Amino acid sequence: MTATPGLGATRLASPDLLRSVFRRHAAGVAVITARGDAGPVGFTATSLTSVSADPPMLSFGIGTGASSWPAVSESGHVGVHILGEHQQDLAATFARSGADRFGPATRWREGPEGVPVLDDVSAWLVCRVVARVPAGDHRIVLAEVVLGDPTGPGRPLLYHQGRFHGLGD
Protein backbone atom coordinates (compact mmCIF):
# COMPACT_ATOMS: atom_id res chain seq x y z
CA MET A 1 0.00 0.00 0.00
CA THR A 2 1.33 3.42 -0.88
CA ALA A 3 0.46 6.71 0.73
CA THR A 4 -1.95 8.83 -1.25
CA PRO A 5 -1.11 12.55 -1.28
CA GLY A 6 -3.41 14.53 1.01
CA LEU A 7 -4.34 11.61 3.27
CA GLY A 8 -2.10 12.73 6.14
CA ALA A 9 -1.02 10.09 8.66
CA THR A 10 -2.56 7.06 6.95
CA ARG A 11 -1.85 3.84 8.84
CA LEU A 12 -2.38 0.17 8.05
CA ALA A 13 -5.20 -1.65 9.80
CA SER A 14 -4.41 -2.74 13.36
CA PRO A 15 -6.16 -2.98 16.73
CA ASP A 16 -4.45 0.30 17.72
CA LEU A 17 -5.76 2.08 14.60
CA LEU A 18 -9.31 0.91 15.28
CA ARG A 19 -9.11 2.03 18.94
CA SER A 20 -7.63 5.39 17.92
CA VAL A 21 -10.39 6.05 15.40
CA PHE A 22 -13.21 5.02 17.74
CA ARG A 23 -11.86 7.23 20.54
CA ARG A 24 -12.95 10.08 18.26
CA HIS A 25 -16.46 8.63 17.93
CA ALA A 26 -18.77 9.83 20.70
CA ALA A 27 -21.04 7.01 21.84
CA GLY A 28 -23.88 6.65 24.28
CA VAL A 29 -23.11 4.62 27.40
CA ALA A 30 -25.06 1.58 28.49
CA VAL A 31 -24.64 -1.12 31.11
CA ILE A 32 -25.58 -4.66 30.14
CA THR A 33 -26.54 -7.02 32.97
CA ALA A 34 -27.33 -10.71 33.25
CA ARG A 35 -27.93 -13.29 35.95
CA GLY A 36 -24.98 -15.62 36.36
CA ASP A 37 -24.59 -18.84 38.34
CA ALA A 38 -22.57 -16.97 41.00
CA GLY A 39 -24.77 -13.86 41.01
CA PRO A 40 -25.39 -10.84 38.82
CA VAL A 41 -22.87 -9.73 36.20
CA GLY A 42 -22.62 -6.61 34.11
CA PHE A 43 -20.37 -4.45 31.97
CA THR A 44 -20.26 -1.00 30.42
CA ALA A 45 -20.95 -0.99 26.68
CA THR A 46 -20.72 1.68 24.01
CA SER A 47 -21.55 -0.73 21.19
CA LEU A 48 -25.33 -0.72 21.73
CA THR A 49 -27.30 -0.47 18.48
CA SER A 50 -30.95 -0.51 17.54
CA VAL A 51 -31.37 -3.28 14.94
CA SER A 52 -35.07 -3.62 14.16
CA ALA A 53 -38.33 -1.89 15.08
CA ASP A 54 -40.54 -4.88 14.20
CA PRO A 55 -39.79 -6.97 16.10
CA PRO A 56 -38.02 -4.55 18.47
CA MET A 57 -34.44 -5.79 18.53
CA LEU A 58 -31.01 -4.49 19.51
CA SER A 59 -27.40 -5.62 19.50
CA PHE A 60 -24.27 -5.13 21.56
CA GLY A 61 -20.75 -6.49 21.49
CA ILE A 62 -18.93 -8.32 24.28
CA GLY A 63 -15.39 -9.68 24.35
CA THR A 64 -15.11 -13.42 24.87
CA GLY A 65 -12.41 -12.73 27.48
CA ALA A 66 -14.68 -10.44 29.52
CA SER A 67 -15.60 -11.57 33.02
CA SER A 68 -19.30 -11.18 32.12
CA TRP A 69 -19.08 -13.32 28.98
CA PRO A 70 -19.67 -16.72 30.62
CA ALA A 71 -23.00 -15.54 32.09
CA VAL A 72 -24.03 -13.64 28.94
CA SER A 73 -23.13 -16.68 26.82
CA GLU A 74 -25.62 -18.80 28.83
CA SER A 75 -28.35 -16.30 29.73
CA GLY A 76 -31.69 -16.33 28.03
CA HIS A 77 -32.30 -12.69 28.98
CA VAL A 78 -30.21 -9.55 29.53
CA GLY A 79 -30.83 -6.11 30.94
CA VAL A 80 -29.89 -3.03 28.91
CA HIS A 81 -29.54 0.24 30.83
CA ILE A 82 -29.06 3.65 29.22
CA LEU A 83 -27.00 5.77 31.60
CA GLY A 84 -27.56 9.45 32.35
CA GLU A 85 -24.80 12.03 32.71
CA HIS A 86 -25.22 11.80 36.50
CA GLN A 87 -23.94 8.18 36.36
CA GLN A 88 -20.29 8.56 35.40
CA ASP A 89 -19.22 6.70 38.56
CA LEU A 90 -21.58 3.82 37.77
CA ALA A 91 -20.24 3.61 34.21
CA ALA A 92 -16.67 3.56 35.54
CA THR A 93 -17.51 0.85 38.08
CA PHE A 94 -18.99 -1.44 35.42
CA ALA A 95 -16.04 -0.72 33.09
CA ARG A 96 -13.35 -1.51 35.69
CA SER A 97 -11.93 -5.02 35.75
CA GLY A 98 -12.22 -6.66 39.15
CA ALA A 99 -14.67 -4.07 40.54
CA ASP A 100 -17.49 -5.08 42.89
CA ARG A 101 -20.07 -4.01 40.32
CA PHE A 102 -23.13 -4.93 42.37
CA GLY A 103 -21.72 -3.82 45.73
CA PRO A 104 -23.33 -1.30 48.10
CA ALA A 105 -22.68 1.70 45.82
CA THR A 106 -24.81 0.15 43.05
CA ARG A 107 -28.55 0.36 43.56
CA TRP A 108 -30.40 -2.42 41.73
CA ARG A 109 -33.16 -4.98 42.03
CA GLU A 110 -34.03 -8.31 40.49
CA GLY A 111 -36.28 -7.63 37.53
CA PRO A 112 -38.31 -9.71 35.11
CA GLU A 113 -36.74 -13.04 34.09
CA GLY A 114 -34.32 -12.62 37.03
CA VAL A 115 -32.39 -9.92 35.17
CA PRO A 116 -30.60 -7.37 37.40
CA VAL A 117 -32.22 -3.96 36.79
CA LEU A 118 -30.24 -0.87 37.80
CA ASP A 119 -31.99 1.99 39.60
CA ASP A 120 -32.05 5.64 38.52
CA VAL A 121 -31.02 5.01 34.88
CA SER A 122 -32.39 7.08 32.02
CA ALA A 123 -34.05 4.03 30.48
CA TRP A 124 -33.91 0.25 30.75
CA LEU A 125 -34.97 -2.81 28.81
CA VAL A 126 -35.19 -6.52 29.48
CA CYS A 127 -34.41 -8.45 26.32
CA ARG A 128 -34.53 -12.09 25.22
CA VAL A 129 -31.26 -13.20 23.62
CA VAL A 130 -31.91 -14.59 20.14
CA ALA A 131 -28.36 -15.00 18.79
CA ARG A 132 -24.68 -14.69 19.64
CA VAL A 133 -22.72 -14.08 16.45
CA PRO A 134 -18.93 -14.65 16.38
CA ALA A 135 -17.01 -11.48 15.43
CA GLY A 136 -13.25 -11.78 15.96
CA ASP A 137 -12.47 -11.77 19.70
CA HIS A 138 -16.04 -10.63 20.45
CA ARG A 139 -19.59 -11.85 20.06
CA ILE A 140 -22.39 -9.67 18.74
CA VAL A 141 -25.45 -10.41 20.85
CA LEU A 142 -28.83 -9.93 19.18
CA ALA A 143 -31.67 -9.51 21.64
CA GLU A 144 -35.41 -8.96 21.27
CA VAL A 145 -36.98 -6.39 23.60
CA VAL A 146 -39.48 -7.90 26.06
CA LEU A 147 -40.29 -4.84 28.20
CA GLY A 148 -38.74 -1.67 29.58
CA ASP A 149 -39.09 1.83 30.94
CA PRO A 150 -37.96 4.92 28.98
CA THR A 151 -38.92 7.48 31.67
CA GLY A 152 -35.84 7.72 33.92
CA PRO A 153 -34.06 10.95 34.85
CA GLY A 154 -31.20 12.74 33.22
CA ARG A 155 -29.54 13.65 29.99
CA PRO A 156 -27.45 10.99 28.22
CA LEU A 157 -23.94 10.02 29.25
CA LEU A 158 -21.42 9.90 26.40
CA TYR A 159 -18.02 8.28 25.98
CA HIS A 160 -15.42 10.15 23.94
CA GLN A 161 -11.60 10.22 23.88
CA GLY A 162 -11.41 7.65 26.67
CA ARG A 163 -13.59 9.63 29.12
CA PHE A 164 -17.22 9.95 30.13
CA HIS A 165 -18.96 13.25 29.33
CA GLY A 166 -22.34 14.89 29.67
CA LEU A 167 -24.14 16.07 26.55
CA GLY A 168 -23.19 19.66 25.76
CA ASP A 169 -25.71 22.10 24.35
Side-chain angles (χ1 to χ4, degrees):
M1 180 174 170
T2 59
T4 303
L7 290 182
T10 303
R11 295 171 20 198
L12 292 175
S14 69
D16 183 55
L17 173 63
L18 185 67
R19 283 187 211 97
S20 295
V21 168
F22 273 88
R23 280 188 192 107
R24 294 177 174 267
H25 174 68
V29 180
V31 168
I32 310 298
T33 60
R35 181 176 57 189
D37 290 339
V41 301
F43 64 97
T44 299
T46 56
S47 61
L48 183 65
T49 304
S50 172
V51 172
S52 169
D54 189 16
M57 191 174 292
L58 57 81
S59 71
F60 60 87
I62 179 172
T64 56
S67 61
S68 297
W69 170 243
V72 172
S73 74
E74 300 286 328
S75 293
H77 291 81
V78 294
V80 176
H81 307 83
I82 307 299
L83 301 190
E85 62 187 2
H86 63 286
Q87 295 179 302
Q88 290 186 22
D89 290 343
L90 183 67
T93 295
F94 276 83
R96 191 170 34 257
S97 179
D100 184 4
R101 296 174 179 158
F102 289 90
T106 301
R107 295 189 351 252
W108 66 281
R109 64 194 179 284
E110 185 173 309
E113 304 296 337
V115 171
V117 175
L118 302 176
D119 291 343
D120 202 33
V121 294
S122 292
W124 61 266
L125 299 165
V126 170
C127 303
R128 182 178 61 83
V129 175
V130 297
R132 295 169 186 90
V133 181
D137 62 356
H138 278 61
R139 295 297 180 267
I140 305 301
V141 177
L142 294 169
E144 188 173 357
V145 175
V146 175
L147 57 90
D149 181 356
T151 63
R155 293 165 44 122
L157 180 62
L158 300 177
Y159 187 73
H160 180 253
Q161 293 286 31
R163 295 183 37 224
F164 298 111
H165 302 271
L167 182 64
D169 290 329

